[in-house]
């Protein structure tokens, strides 16, 4: 029997790439020194792939902030297709697994790419607010994430970033309880179950926001 037939196929999230590993090391140094990040409940991010990582959105630093506590796994983020218009950025973001998406239209190719990634065992990162949103937290969201999660039947991990990342300040990030959506999956994929999932997500963000505010008040 050929050697390839004896190899155990590794999930997409567990495949090590040099660029991602180097980038993670550099980010780790930054988050411990010049722009310190304080994570709350990092242990919640130690899930078995596949799952969907969901974050609110402030700046281009958010993918780094959201992905860093996911140890041992590489995160595939959805990102606006305008980023890959520049050749160097296209090469870099492709190497970091980004899936480009047209934010202004229902991008079915991006949706299919997300489904394939999860089926292959990846960790998928999504910003359901669709763009940088500074008024409220997860109050205005798109339902594409719920549709992908219900079809793939995978857990959803909420990540709350308190505010825009700043150098020489303590930046706070809270990891929420993973959302088990199996009961919704049993009811089928439809508008009602998508709405219920988004309601659970919003409730999680309200709880994380309250927790961070209570910590600051002590």
């Amino acid at each position: 029997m050929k050697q390839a037939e004896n190899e155990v196929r590794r999930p997409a999230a567990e495949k090590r790439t040099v660029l991602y590993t180097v980038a993670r090391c550099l980010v780790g140094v930054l988050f411990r020194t010049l722009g310190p990040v304080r994570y709350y409940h990092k242990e919640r991010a130690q899930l078995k792939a596949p799952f969907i990582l969901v974050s609110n959105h402030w700046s281009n630093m958010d993918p780094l902030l959201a992905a860093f506590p996911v140890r041992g796994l590489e995160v595939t983020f959805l990102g606006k297709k305008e980023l890959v218009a520049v050749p160097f950025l296209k090469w870099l973001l492709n190497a970091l697994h980004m899936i480009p998406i047209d934010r202004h239209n229902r991008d079915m190719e991006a949706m299919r790419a997300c489904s394939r990634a999860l089926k292959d065992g990846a960790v998928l990162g999504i910003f359901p607010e669709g763009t940088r949103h500074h008024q409220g937290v997860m109050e205005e969201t798109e339902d594409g994430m719920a549709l992908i999660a219900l079809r793939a039947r995978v857990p959803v991990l909420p990540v709350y970033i308190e505010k825009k990342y700043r150098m020489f300040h303590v930046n706070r990030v809270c990891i929420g309880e993973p959302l088990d959506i199996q009961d919704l999956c049993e009811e089928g994929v439809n508008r009602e179950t998508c709405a219920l999932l988004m309601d659970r997500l919003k409730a999680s963000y309200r709880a994380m926001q309250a927790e961070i505010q209570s910590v600051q008040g002590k």
Side-chain angles (χ1 to χ4, degrees), residues 15-16 45 47 53 63 98 105 108 111 134 140 142 152 162 186 189 202 218:
K15 295 175 182 176
R16 300 269 68 84
L47 297 180
L53 184 154
M98 192 191 88
N105 298 288
M108 297 309 298
M111 296 282 282
H134 300 169
E140 297 180 12
E142 300 175 358
E162 182 188 21
E186 296 302 324
V189 182
K202 292 174 184 179
K218 292 181 180 179

Side-chain angles (χ1 to χ4, degrees), residues 56-76:
N56 60 315
H57 199 13
W58 290 98
S59 73
N60 289 332
M61 288 294 292
D62 296 338
L64 305 180
L65 291 164
F68 188 72
V70 182
R71 300 182 61 183
L73 301 175
E74 299 192 358
V75 182
T76 297

Side-chain angles (χ1 to χ4, degrees), residues 108-129:
M108 297 309 298
E109 178 54 38
M111 296 282 282
R112 286 190 288 268
C114 290
S115 296
R116 288 194 299 268
L118 290 169
K119 186 177 181 179
D120 196 34
V123 179
L124 181 65
I126 299 179
F127 299 103
E129 291 168 320

